[in-house]
Amino acid sequence: QRYSTVGAVDRAIVKKGFRIMVLLRLCPIIPFNALNYIGGITNIHLETFMYSLIGILPMQLLTVAMGATTGDFRWNGMIVTKNSNADNTH
């Protein structure tokens, strides 16, 4: 076989597609575009691919939490908030 590795990946994704796709989506090193491409060229079922999108949630929740808590931060002893000027110190 010329592309035996691709065939092996395709068989593995058909057999355990949900588990593989969720674990790959949890890995921050692999870009989502590559995973979407893998899902498109393999024989994974559409429902399985869509359910595997739940793997995106942990990183998205972390990003939202970090964004929500960065409204107030300290910089050189000053507390800088979204609603205050930089010269206010507390």
Side-chain angles (χ1 to χ4, degrees):
Q1 283 247 10
R2 187 171 182 181
Y3 300 107
S4 60
T5 305
V6 175
V9 168
D10 188 37
R11 286 188 299 276
I13 286 183
V14 167
K15 188 174 181 180
K16 295 186 179 187
F18 177 75
R19 180 181 294 170
I20 292 171
M21 291 301 286
V22 167
L23 290 174
L24 288 174
R25 289 200 184 275
L26 288 172
C27 180
I29 297 171
I30 302 172
F32 290 141
N33 291 342
L35 293 176
N36 294 337
Y37 184 75
I38 289 170
I41 63 171
T42 58
N43 290 322
I44 190 170
H45 298 287
L46 179 61
E47 295 84 15
T48 305
F49 179 78
M50 296 300 288
Y51 289 140
S52 73
L53 292 174
I54 197 165
I56 296 174
L57 286 177
M59 187 58 82
Q60 293 301 318
L61 291 175
L62 177 67
T63 304
V64 168
M66 288 176 60
T69 59
T70 57
D72 300 323
F73 63 92
R74 292 189 180 272
W75 185 61
N76 288 337
M78 297 182 338
I79 297 176
V80 180
T81 63
K82 290 184 278 188
N83 299 324
S84 69
N85 295 328
D87 58 356
N88 286 342
T89 58
H90 297 258

